[in-house]
Each structure stands twice: as structure tokens, then as C-alpha cells.
Amino acid sequence: MDKKALLELSNGLKIELPILNGTVGPGVLNIKDLYRTTGLFTYDPGFVSTASCSSAITFIDGDEGVLKYRGHSIADLAENNNFTAVIYLLLHGELPNLEQHKKFLLKIEKLSKVPEQVVNVIKAFPKTAHPMSILITCFASLSALYHERHGNNVNSEDLDFGISAIAQVPAIVAMIYRHINDQEFINANNELSYSENFLRMMFGDAFDNAKSALFAKALDKIFTLHADHEQNASTAAVRLVGSAGSSLFASLSAGVATLWGPTHGGANEAVINMLKEIEQSGDIDKFIEKAKDDKDPFKLMGFGHRVYKNYDPRARILKNACNEVLGKLEQSSELLKIAKGLEKIALKDEYFVTRKLYPNVDFYSGIIMNAIDIPSNMFTPIFALARTTGWVTQWYEMANDKETKINRPRQLYVGK
Ligand code: CMC
């Protein structure tokens, strides 16, 4: 029997609220008709207790530290599949067989050419610009070319313009990097895998074969781990913009803008800056104390998560990947030592234990990218590159969901 919750108001009005059950996960109280039947809204700043949509793409169990894409565990995907298979999985719902994968790679290749207009946009930026500001503009600029593709004008078969975004974003991010570093752009080499090609467009022939293979494998894993994360802030922004009927590329631009913030994707850049500061000061305890001080706005970057109240499964995989990359490079990293030291202290400290604050995905990813010599201002664009797949997939789901309405929250008015 379907479960219901009974709401009794002080005026004696009683209403029943249905409790919806997903495939797995907690019950969800359906308050869709609450305003119509009672004249009341709900108040939930930051959507702490609010599901804004239903979705069949990604599942998180925050208490158990579980993450699955289309039913596949993130550890299995990161260890046993490459990123293009994961893109296919997210878009189509199933992992590809060999033939499907081959065809999909040809499609990515066909759609990967970045329009000259976008190349000119990148070149117009000052070299001092933050790469995320350029990336926002690149997606906004692509919306000029795909403007007819609005949210009320897509069919689920027509994935090509979404795949164009996924196919072009590695070249766009690499061009942004080379532009701000005053270097010539490098053409794509379609003989290479998605991740190898990205590494080459960033750095040319800077690495020998062994290092290229090691770094491309690590990046591929980073891309897989960042590809989607259900209704996080940037995905919610993409869906919100799309819910008004705006085009995919305009929506993606909003996604990049949201991801840039240091409490979201910008945390990976902030983590490495924090670790470097700790290295300079040589005093981990001081940073732990600052993070615990409620009068100090400082937070331990790369720690805590709205949904995970357990170790973020992505951080666990990335910690192992850090060990692997640095081990193979025969490098000892002071930053990795500091990160592990910080984690050890925090996981025993009452402040972090009682609040269930664990390392998140951004805690270890930057150490790997640092070992590849990727500058920290490129960390968040690389996160955006990977998350483009999630944004595109979620945008299609939103556009094809009969329940989608323009996202229009209400407010508690406290003004004059
Ligand atoms: N350092 C110190 N205290 C923290 C931290 C932290 N990193 N994170 C949360 N807290 C405290 C917070 O002050 C609060 O304490 P109290 O109950 O005494 O007021 C309590 O823990 C609960 O935190 P919250 O702010 O209510 O949690 P939230 O769900 O609103 O925020 C978060 C989640 C990720 C924004 C936050 O943990 C944070 O700012 N972390 C640092 C930034 C970061 O690493 N962000 C990356 C998130 S994962 C990747 C992604 O989203 O892209």
C-alpha cells in the first residue's frame, strides 16, 4: 500500500501527502499540491530537504558513500571502463558493446570541430583572465550557433547537438590553457583516445610515451569520477535555465558559472592553494583550528558534502590514483603528505566526526593534476569538461520529462 503522511494544521484542516518511492533511497514526500490545497508554501533554503525532479541517471546513498551511474558502481566504471564508454552509458542508459562504442567514437570525432567563432572568442580574452570566465563565454557563444535547439524543441533521438558540446569541450579547454599561456593551439589527433587527445592538445609532445599513458589514464579516471553527480548546484542551474525553454548551450554556460564557486567545483583549485599555504606555514594544526572556529569563515577545502555523510567514494578512488601516479613517477609529494596528514587529524577530531565531514572529490584530484604540471587555475575547467556530459544528459532528461515546469521557487517575504 502506498504510504502517506498526514498534515494537520492549527485550523483543524487535515490533508494527506503521498510518499513517493524511488527505485532505491528514502521516501519522498510529495508536496506538489500543498499550496493549492492549503495556501501554504514550504521553506527550505538551499534545498536541503527538497527534490526538484525525478531522475533515472545517477544515484547517491550519502550515508553509505555509494555512487552509481545508471546502476553501475563508480568504482567499477573508474577501474574497468574508459570515459567515452561512461559518456555513452550516461547518455544512452547502457554501456556500449564494441560496435556501439566504435560508432560513438566516430560520432564524437565528427562533431569535435570547434567553430572559428569560438576560437576567436578565446583569442579576444586577456591572458590574465581566469579560464572559467572564458569557458562560460565559449558555451554562451556556442548558443548562437545552436540557438534553435530550445528545451521545448528537442526529441530524445536528436542527441547530436548535445554530443557536440561533449566532443568540443576538450579542445576548447586546451585552447583556453594555451591562449592564457601564450602558446599556439594544437590540432586534435583523432587516432588518440578522448583523454590522450586532450592531454596532447594541452601539452603537445612534452611527455614521453610512458608518462603520456600514465597521465591520460589518470585524467580518464578523473573525467569518469566527475561526469555526473545528480542534482548538484551546477546541474540544478542547467536544469533551471533549461526549464524556461532556453537552449542547451545557454544552460551549459550557467552550469560552468555555478561550478566555478569554491564551495562547488572551484574547491579543487582552493584545496591545492590551501595545501601550499599549509606547506609554507608548516602548521597543519593552525588550519584545523581555523576551520573549527565558528567566527572564522575559513573552511577546510575539499572536506564536507551536502549529501555524503561518509567518505566520498570518488575521493577514495582518487587517493589510490594519487599513490599510483606519484609511485610510478617515483616522486614523493609534500602536498600529498600534507593532505594525508590533514585527513588523519580531521577524521579523528570531534568537530569533523560529529558533523560527518569527510574528504570529498576535490581533496585529492588536484594533487594528481599538480603532478601532471597542470596549473591550479585549470583544475575547475577540467572538472567542467568532465561534468559537461552530466549537464547534457540531465538537460535532455529535463527537456523530455512531461513533469518539467519552469523552475520558479517562492519566497518568505520579510521586506517593507
Ligand atoms: N570545514 C569546516 N567546517 C565545515 C566544513 C569544512 N570544510 N564543511 C562543513 N562544515 C561545518 C559547517 O560550518 C557546519 O557547522 P555547524 O553545524 O557548527 O554550523 C556543519 O559543518 C554543516 O555544514 P553545512 O555548511 O551546513 O553543510 P552544507 O551541506 O551546506 O555544505 C559544503 C556543504 C560542501 C558546501 C561544505 O561542506 C563546504 O563548504 N566544504 C568546503 C568546500 C568544498 O570542499 N566543496 C566541494 C564539495 S564536493 C564537490 C562539488 O560539489 O563540486
Side-chain angles (χ1 to χ4, degrees):
M1 216 175 69
D2 289 345
K3 286 194 185 150
K4 291 188 169 118
L6 186 67
L7 177 68
E8 184 171 353
L9 303 178
S10 52
N11 64 4
L13 180 68
K14 288 183 189 170
I15 57 156
E16 282 185 337
L17 296 169
I19 297 178
L20 307 175
N21 287 308
T23 326
V24 273
V28 176
L29 198 59
N30 185 347
I31 56 157
K32 206 156 58 87
D33 295 326
L34 187 71
Y35 177 60
R36 195 175 50 76
T37 50
T38 66
L40 295 171
F41 300 129
T42 55
Y43 179 64
D44 183 19
F47 307 119
V48 175
S49 301
T50 298
S52 58
C53 61
S54 65
S55 179
I57 303 169
T58 290
F59 172 72
I60 303 175
D61 182 334
D63 294 325
E64 296 296 323
V66 169
L67 168 63
K68 292 183 177 186
Y69 298 161
R70 303 282 192 186
H72 292 264
S73 92
I74 194 67
D76 175 45
L77 293 171
E79 297 308 329
N80 303 319
N81 289 276
N82 67 16
F83 182 55
T84 42
V86 171
I87 300 174
Y88 187 100
L89 170 71
L90 284 165
L91 287 172
H92 295 283
E94 303 286 343
L95 281 167
N97 62 29
L98 276 180
E99 194 52 36
Q100 288 166 327
H101 200 179
K102 229 161 86 186
K103 267 198 190 156
F104 187 60
L105 293 180
L106 287 176
K107 175 154 277 181
I108 291 185
E109 179 185 336
K110 193 176 124 215
L111 298 172
S112 63
K113 176 123 187 58
V114 179
E116 204 48 37
Q117 164 191 316
V118 177
V119 178
N120 290 332
V121 163
I122 296 171
K123 286 182 181 162
F125 269 83
K127 315 275 179 196
T128 49
H130 192 286
M132 284 298 274
S133 70
I134 312 180
L135 188 57
I136 293 169
T137 319
C138 288
F139 276 132
S141 155
L142 278 169
S143 69
L145 297 165
Y146 296 88
H147 64 91
E148 78 281 13
R149 304 298 197 169
H150 283 254
N152 52 8
N153 189 23
V154 289
N155 78 64
S156 56
E157 303 306 311
D158 183 10
L159 277 176
D160 277 16
F161 70 105
I163 299 174
S164 311
I166 297 166
Q168 289 175 30
V169 70
I172 291 174
V173 170
M175 281 193 275
I176 292 173
Y177 165 73
R178 293 191 72 85
H179 171 70
I180 58 178
N181 287 289
D182 229 349
Q183 294 168 345
E184 294 286 313
F185 299 154
I186 296 173
N187 287 334
N189 176 349
N190 292 312
E191 304 286 296
L192 302 175
S193 75
Y194 190 92
S195 307
E196 289 165 343
N197 191 24
F198 171 65
L199 191 68
R200 197 172 170 282
M201 287 188 288
M202 286 276 286
F203 296 111
D205 298 321
F207 307 121
D208 62 27
N209 287 348
K211 275 192 183 166
S212 293
L214 179 68
F215 294 162
K217 187 177 157 212
L219 278 174
D220 207 79
K221 204 169 268 187
I222 289 177
F223 293 164
T224 292
L225 296 173
H226 289 79
D228 193 48
H229 212 232
E230 53 120 300
Q231 306 313 315
N232 58 88
S234 56
T235 301
V238 167
R239 279 183 176 260
L240 186 139
V241 174
S243 80
S246 303
S247 79
L248 170 68
F249 287 89
S251 309
L252 291 177
S253 177
V256 181
T258 312
L259 190 77
W260 192 1
T263 51
H264 191 8
N268 55 13
E269 182 178 349
V271 168
I272 216 79
N273 294 338
M274 176 187 79
L275 294 176
K276 286 179 180 163
E277 259 186 75
I278 298 178
E279 184 183 19
Q280 264 181 355
S281 83
D283 189 353
I284 292 190
D285 292 339
K286 188 182 97 191
F287 284 80
I288 297 269
E289 288 316 309
K290 263 171 82 63
K292 287 159 54 173
D293 181 354
D294 62 7
K295 288 178 199 67
D296 191 325
F298 173 77
K299 291 231 185 325
L300 206 55
M301 299 314 286
F303 256 76
H305 197 274
R306 171 63 59 79
V307 185
Y308 293 117
K309 300 303 166 199
N310 201 327
Y311 211 102
D312 179 337
R314 302 166 300 173
R316 200 183 297 286
I317 298 167
L318 284 171
K319 188 179 178 183
N320 291 337
C322 271
N323 289 330
E324 187 189 337
V325 170
L326 292 166
K328 290 212 167 124
L329 288 175
E330 294 178 4
Q331 266 180 23
S332 76
S333 157
E334 203 42 47
L335 296 183
L336 180 59
K337 267 191 222 148
I338 294 169
K340 285 182 179 171
L342 206 54
E343 175 185 329
K344 203 165 162 196
I345 299 172
L347 293 185
K348 281 199 200 128
D349 188 293
E350 204 211 329
Y351 175 93
F352 294 89
V353 173
T354 51
R355 288 169 180 76
K356 299 187 176 168
L357 302 170
Y358 292 86
N360 60 48
V361 69
D362 295 313
F363 196 62
Y364 286 108
S365 60
I367 297 174
I368 302 179
M369 292 194 269
N370 198 50
I372 306 177
D373 269 344
I374 297 172
S376 59
N377 63 355
M378 291 305 297
F379 292 0
T380 317
I382 287 173
F383 188 158
L385 184 171
R387 186 55 59 83
T388 299
T389 293
W391 292 329
V392 165
T393 311
Q394 299 265 355
W395 187 90
Y396 275 100
E397 191 182 61
M398 175 281 305
N400 290 296
D401 183 348
K402 302 254 174 317
E403 295 232 305
T404 295
K405 280 173 171 286
I406 185 165
N407 287 192
R408 200 325 185 167
R410 302 304 301 259
Q411 63 174 10
L412 173 67
Y413 178 67
V414 294
K416 275 188 193 167

